[in-house]
Amino acid sequence: MKTSWLTILPVWLLGTIVTASTPLQYCSVDAEEKTDLCFAVASFKNSTTQANDLSLHISTKFVVDATGWASVAIGPKMDNALMFIMYPGGEQGRITVSTRTTRYHAIPKVVSEDAPETHVTKTWIDDTGLYNAQIMCYNCESWSGTTLDVMSPSQPWIWATNWDQPTHSDDVHLKLRPHNAKGFTMLNMASSYSESGDIIAQVSTQRITQEPNTDDAGPAPPTMQDESDDHHPAKEHHKHSAFGLVSLHGFLLSFGFFALTFGVLGIRSGSSKSYKIHWTIQTGGGSAIVVGCLMGIYLSYKHGGHFGTFHQWIGLSMIPSVIIQGLLGYLHHVNYLKYGRRTAVSYYHIWLGRAALIIGNLNVGFGLNLAGAESFKWFTWYAGLAIQLSVLIPMWYFYARGKTILDAVRNKPVAKDVVRYESVEQDAFIVDDELDEFEDEGLGHDDLKNGKD
Ligand code: HEM
Ligand code: HEM
Ligand code: HEM
């Protein structure tokens, strides 16, 4: 970490000139959390554009092995916040600053072009190992994701740090790993606002939270950790408790799609109860899926009414698909009893069912990503997928060869001249009672197949 005095001096001088009084700054310095982060903000009316520009100085130490990332963001929570993220650059002495945003708790992505224009005016690393970045955000109040009000006495800001990701990259799109520490604060923006002329935010040498024109550092603003007000926006959002709504939504849907695999196994099992097993499991699983999706819609309204993610769109398409799938299954059955063979409806049912099964299971992954779920949930999902594949692959393999699972288990040879479908399904998906009824009426299997209704 080489830093020349020639680099620091002008910045320091400028800092002392433009921030004559105590800066408006927030610090979180906590050895246990391996966090040493301060940021200062100042805002002013741009005499040319008449819009309010924001100056931001982030100063952080990458405490462990000089790696990780640090971020501050405008807003009460991650969702739609305007994030300024910094990490060590590709070469020693360099710093990368990336302006990003995200939906819910997904990995933040670089902002699109309609975001306010930002400019990194200066980056440097000082002798004590502090990484610094000064950033200008022009007409910053135009950010529509969250609200920035440079005159507000209580503007919400969030911050987060990570100390173990091997960053060291010049790539502003670098995929971030989750934070190890995070927090929330309110800043009195009005106290650092200037009507006249440019000012540059500058973190003071005292790494404590402070407000302009106060000699003593005031009490630290509330953080996520010590916040006790239940109505606090950052805290109110996302209680990812084991029995919270998000988890329940995820559980119902993951379980619902997992169950469908066993319903499919049921219909291909070769058991005399295969039809009953299939429709019972699929109706149960399908109902759980519809209820789970409705919960997803409720969740989305609760989280601000945004419906823009891939996860939600796929999820929404599952509601009609699953309902139609149930009806097709029933129609297929009615037709089969009537004509004794598959009809077009049967194929719609089979293929829509297979597609829904696969897409729904994948959407569990998109949901986990959206919720930024912890690794336990990811591993549970992987295990669920592995179990399903180990059931479906052999099942489809034997089915393609005209065998049911029971045939395969009993190693029963398949007659050469039988039609594959009938060899597997002939009796399998006609409810026993219904067969009895037909037999009472003097109709056997052959009659059924010949369409004698
Ligand atoms: C890979 C990137 C990130 C992931 C996967 C992620 C994931 C998450 C998750 C799952 C939560 C909710 C659970 C919890 O309370 O721990 C959360 C909360 C939070 N994150 Fe992140 N985060 C990321 C980046 C960031 C960044 C760059 C910031 C910048 C300031 C940030 C700030 C916060 C804050 C303040 C909260 C609590 C408020 C809220 O729920 O939104 N996160 N994050
Ligand atoms: C959400 C509900 C349902 C789903 C997701 C579903 C899914 C499936 C799938 C994927 C198959 C093809 C199995 C394979 O891959 O080999 C299948 C077959 C079948 N399903 Fe369903 N099913 C559902 C509901 C029903 C219902 C309610 C009935 C009856 C009332 C039914 C009757 C059948 C029958 C008879 C077959 C065998 C079709 C044939 O081989 O010609 N299903 N189902
Ligand atoms: C195929 C159907 C769906 C599946 C398999 C599914 C699955 C999941 C899973 C596994 C999670 C993560 C839960 C956790 O971390 O414990 C999740 C979160 C979520 N899902 Fe779904 N979901 C589906 C449909 C929907 C629908 C229809 C919507 C709304 C339109 C929706 C909205 C959400 C939202 C808002 C979250 C929470 C994201 C956050 O943490 O902020 N989902 N989903």
Side-chain angles (χ1 to χ4, degrees):
M1 250 166 289
K2 269 194 285 162
T3 315
S4 98
W5 278 104
L6 281 176
T7 325
I8 300 176
L9 200 63
V11 175
W12 179 78
L13 276 176
L14 198 62
T16 46
I17 295 162
V18 291
T19 52
S21 55
T22 322
L24 171 61
Q25 80 176 33
Y26 174 84
C27 288
S28 176
V29 181
D30 184 332
E32 223 169 83
E33 289 202 313
K34 302 188 180 69
T35 294
D36 185 340
L37 170 75
C38 285
F39 68 96
V41 296
S43 45
F44 55 91
K45 181 168 268 166
N46 184 314
S47 50
T48 319
T49 62
Q50 295 300 305
N52 289 324
D53 294 347
L54 178 88
S55 166
L56 173 69
H57 176 188
I58 310 175
S59 170
T60 189
K61 203 171 268 182
F62 295 110
V63 185
V64 182
D65 299 333
T67 196
W69 56 261
S71 169
V72 303
I74 299 169
K77 53 186 169 25
M78 276 180 72
D79 192 21
N80 279 326
L82 183 60
M83 298 169 165
F84 303 94
I85 302 168
M86 61 189 270
Y87 35 89
E91 272 174 35
Q92 206 176 23
R94 279 222 289 258
I95 296 175
T96 305
V97 176
S98 167
T99 310
R100 305 192 190 193
T101 190
T102 191
R103 294 309 324 276
Y104 308 110
H105 292 138
I107 300 176
K109 297 263 161 56
V110 170
V111 283
S112 59
E113 273 159 18
D114 50 2
E117 188 189 337
T118 57
H119 182 63
V120 181
T121 45
K122 184 123 220 124
T123 60
W124 74 99
I125 305 167
D126 75 11
D127 281 345
T128 62
L130 280 170
Y131 284 62
N132 293 275
Q134 276 176 323
I135 302 154
M136 283 299 304
C137 178
Y138 301 103
N139 189 12
C140 212
E141 287 175 319
S142 66
W143 174 249
S144 54
T146 49
T147 308
L148 170 69
D149 176 0
V150 297
M151 300 301 285
S152 165
S154 51
Q155 168 67 41
W157 284 82
I158 52 170
W159 61 269
T161 56
N162 165 295
W163 53 263
D164 57 1
Q165 175 171 2
T167 39
H168 296 280
S169 168
D170 295 331
D171 181 7
V172 291
H173 297 276
L174 179 77
K175 191 173 177 191
L176 294 183
R177 289 199 202 148
H179 30 73
N180 306 113
K182 62 181 188 312
F184 168 88
T185 187
M186 295 275 205
L187 295 183
N188 179 1
M189 299 297 287
S191 69
S192 74
Y193 179 74
S194 158
E195 277 279 352
S196 54
D198 302 6
I199 47 169
I200 295 177
Q202 173 78 42
V203 168
S204 88
T205 45
Q206 281 182 296
R207 295 184 73 76
I208 47 173
T209 299
Q210 48 194 321
E211 239 184 55
N213 307 322
T214 47
D215 293 337
D216 296 326
T223 65
M224 290 281 292
Q225 286 76 24
D226 54 28
E227 176 62 55
S228 56
D229 177 1
D230 272 345
H231 300 294
H232 200 283
K235 217 185 165 193
E236 188 177 72
H237 196 72
H238 280 310
K239 287 176 189 148
H240 273 241
S241 78
F243 302 103
L245 211 58
V246 174
S247 298
L248 201 63
H249 159 80
F251 176 78
L252 259 183
L253 285 151
S254 319
F255 184 76
F257 283 102
F258 184 78
L260 292 188
T261 287
F262 294 88
V264 168
L265 177 70
I267 198 77
R268 301 291 179 227
S269 63
S271 146
S272 58
K273 298 263 180 295
S274 63
Y275 174 76
K276 246 182 208 163
I277 297 172
H278 180 74
W279 78 256
T280 316
I281 298 184
Q282 305 311 69
T283 310
S287 313
I289 290 166
V290 172
V291 173
C293 286
L294 294 178
M295 280 175 75
I297 296 174
Y298 173 72
L299 261 179
S300 305
Y301 276 115
K302 224 178 128 221
H303 290 179
H306 308 284
F307 286 86
T309 69
F310 205 42
H311 171 74
Q312 289 163 301
W313 282 104
I314 295 183
L316 286 175
S317 72
M318 284 298 142
I319 304 177
S321 308
V322 165
I323 295 171
I324 291 171
Q325 179 64 7
L327 296 175
L328 288 176
Y330 181 71
L331 266 180
H332 153 84
H333 178 61
V334 170
N335 281 348
Y336 189 82
L337 290 184
K338 204 160 161 193
Y339 306 116
R341 59 175 169 79
R342 277 177 178 164
T343 50
V345 165
S346 322
Y347 294 100
Y348 299 146
H349 180 74
I350 293 174
W351 286 105
L352 179 66
R354 288 176 183 169
L357 179 68
I358 291 165
I359 295 171
N361 267 293
L362 292 180
N363 207 31
V364 175
F366 294 129
L368 292 174
N369 184 44
L370 187 60
E374 68 265 34
S375 39
F376 170 75
K377 286 181 181 170
W378 282 101
F379 284 119
T380 313
W381 179 53
Y382 296 146
L385 284 185
I387 295 172
Q388 292 182 73
L389 287 176
S390 58
V391 164
L392 291 172
I393 291 173
M395 184 205 81
W396 277 324
Y397 174 84
F398 289 122
Y399 176 63
R401 278 155 186 76
K403 277 189 177 186
T404 67
I405 289 291
L406 288 179
D407 291 341
V409 171
R410 292 176 194 141
N411 204 15
K412 200 169 126 189
V414 184
K416 275 201 190 107
D417 54 345
V418 292
V419 181
R420 188 191 67 184
Y421 164 66
E422 285 169 346
S423 76
V424 176
E425 294 299 337
Q426 189 158 326
D427 297 345
F429 67 175
I430 299 176
V431 188
D432 298 347
D433 314 347
E434 282 170 290
L435 263 182
D436 294 345
E437 265 171 43
F438 281 110
E439 268 155 17
D440 289 348
E441 285 165 24
L443 292 170
H445 287 168
D446 291 343
D447 301 327
L448 270 175
K449 269 191 269 170
N450 296 333
K452 290 187 194 156
D453 205 347

